[in-house]
Amino acid sequence: VGVSLGASIAVVGGTDPGASNLISGNQTAIISMEERDARIIGNRIGTDVSGVLPIPNGSGIQLVLNVGTSVLRNIIVANTLTGIHVFGGSDISILGNTIGSSGPGMGNGGTGIFIQSKVSMVGIGIGEGNVIAYSGGAGIQIGSSPTDLPTEISISQNSIHDNAALGIDLGGDGVTPNNDCDPGRGPNLGQNFPVVASATVVPGGTRVQGSLNSVPGLGYQLDFYASPTCDPSGYGQGETWIGFGSVMTDSSCSGTFDAVLPITVAAGSVVTATATDPAGNTSEFSACRPLATGQEFSTIPPCRLIDTRTAPGPYGGPALSPGADRTFAIAGQCGIPADAKAVALNVTVTAPTAAGDVRLFATGTLLPLETAVNYSAAQTRARDGVFALGLNGSVDTHVNQPSGSVHLVVDVSGYFE
């Protein structure tokens, strides 16, 4: 072990010239056991004095049952295991660190930050973002399993990119699908991620629209990010933080957002988002949404596109049923032009014979994890959203329901072209 701390206030490193330490070539660089108010600041961990050549430790920093500890502005690279491992404790700040870099052998071999067991009130980046990149696992993993106990882990304003697994992983099991009304369970209470429906260039910035399904009647902080490419999972990391937004859920658990951010995102980028509840539980990253350029939004008088309660036809009956996806041609209807790229819809489900969900997605694309509307048996439920159009200006519908059928009613109020 390079440095071992325990049960007393301690400072490792510092801001003054010559105060920082070089801690490399150990089984673990720093272990802090049951420490209160420790500060680990300005050290080079896993590298040489220049910061460009690897001298690996096994793990970088291990915090075990710490309270009030701050990990500030360290370079934590090239370690064969985890960059920072937090096991138990509370009120921990991880700010301004470089956790993995792009040089040969300079990424940490495991997770960048791993938070495990009963941990609460951890701030990762709040006000002073970390760079968390080139990890052999996830950028940040919260919980060793979907039933682990870490909560109130707030993640904001970091640069998270080029990690081998997800940028943020709740439970270490890959993308955690959203669930209706977000009943709390597991790491960070399994906070649902936002659904980014569109990301467009506007004068002086970037406009991001979408929705969040979560606990009803609460306000959520949204963090938006841009990256040159998407994670292979289709669910983003977040290389550049581009701003905040907010959304309030209604009594039906859903809320929509329309954020204009004063940063112009580079052409060809993808945009992602996270949601953080009032207690500080941050979600995984949303699915990536490619930045659309040159798209203008036009409103139209509300117009009914689809009503499966009416006579059979291309926009009418029969009701939707599981295992029988339908394609609806949207462009050219209700005054929507043939070159429209996306539409603003109100989606209503009614008379379902069992609980389930309906998904709307651009024709020719993969079935998304995000739902358009979730519902219980015999429930009528609606949600607004912006939906991309696919091949020939169409959308597909998919029903997840054990059996039976559900009726779908869709009204349009505007379009992007």
Side-chain angles (χ1 to χ4, degrees), residues 58-415:
S59 295
I61 297 172
Q62 291 187 6
L63 306 180
V64 182
L65 300 174
N66 276 225
V67 176
T69 291
S70 300
V71 181
L72 308 171
R73 304 178 206 104
N74 301 278
I75 297 174
I76 308 167
V77 297
N79 301 288
T80 59
L81 301 174
T82 301
I84 300 174
H85 187 178
V86 181
F87 188 94
S90 64
D91 191 20
I92 294 166
S93 298
I94 301 174
L95 309 175
N97 302 280
T98 296
I99 305 171
S101 65
S102 61
M106 296 297 280
N108 293 295
T111 301
I113 300 174
F114 183 20
I115 298 178
Q116 183 181 7
S117 191
K118 194 171 183 180
V119 184
S120 62
M121 295 187 297
V122 177
I124 302 176
I126 317 297
E128 187 176 354
N130 304 278
V131 176
I132 307 166
Y134 303 100
S135 304
I140 301 170
Q141 181 177 327
I142 302 174
S144 57
S145 73
T147 59
D148 203 357
L149 299 176
T151 58
E152 300 174 24
I153 315 301
S154 298
I155 304 167
S156 178
Q157 300 167 264
N158 302 283
S159 175
I160 303 175
H161 63 92
D162 290 290
N163 298 287
L166 295 181
I168 301 170
D169 191 346
L170 303 184
D173 58 348
V175 177
T176 301
N178 286 343
N179 60 354
D180 191 32
C181 295
D182 213 0
R185 78 272 183 229
N188 261 8
L189 303 182
Q191 173 61 48
N192 282 352
F193 51 76
V195 176
V196 177
S198 66
T200 57
V201 175
V202 296
T206 304
R207 183 182 188 185
V208 186
Q209 296 176 288
S211 60
L212 177 70
N213 178 291
S214 197
V215 177
L218 291 181
Y220 294 81
Q221 175 182 299
L222 304 174
D223 283 75
F224 298 104
Y225 299 84
S227 301
T229 59
C230 189
D231 183 85
S233 68
Y235 286 73
Q237 304 196 29
E239 184 163 350
T240 302
W241 180 77
I242 58 174
F244 289 119
S246 62
V247 63
M248 175 71 72
T249 53
D250 59 20
S251 59
S252 297
C253 307
S254 294
T256 60
F257 57 85
D258 186 348
V260 177
L261 311 171
I263 293 177
T264 300
V265 174
S269 298
V270 297
V271 173
T272 56
T274 60
T276 301
D277 73 10
N281 295 290
T282 297
S283 71
E284 296 178 351
F285 282 105
S286 70
C288 302
R289 176 63 62 187
L291 180 71
T293 58
Q295 291 190 10
E296 297 292 335
F297 182 71
S298 300
T299 60
I300 58 175
C303 178
R304 182 141 298 174
L305 282 168
I306 301 166
D307 190 344
T308 62
R309 300 170 301 177
T310 61
Y315 301 95
L320 304 183
S321 58
D325 294 0
R326 286 183 67 180
T327 298
F328 294 93
I330 302 299
Q333 304 299 313
C334 290
I336 302 166
D339 60 351
K341 301 298 189 297
V343 285
L345 302 178
N346 178 269
V347 181
T348 302
V349 296
T350 189
T353 58
D357 68 76
V358 169
R359 306 184 189 194
L360 267 67
F361 57 104
T363 302
T365 64
L366 296 176
L367 178 69
L369 290 176
E370 302 95 338
T371 60
V373 185
N374 298 274
Y375 50 83
S376 302
Q379 184 181 37
T380 296
R381 198 160 184 206
R383 203 196 85 186
D384 293 321
V386 176
F387 297 86
L389 299 179
L391 299 174
N392 301 315
S394 299
V395 297
D396 287 357
T397 60
H398 177 86
V399 173
N400 284 321
Q401 192 172 302
S403 61
S405 62
V406 60
H407 279 293
L408 179 71
V409 181
V410 177
D411 299 292
V412 63
S413 58
Y415 59 87

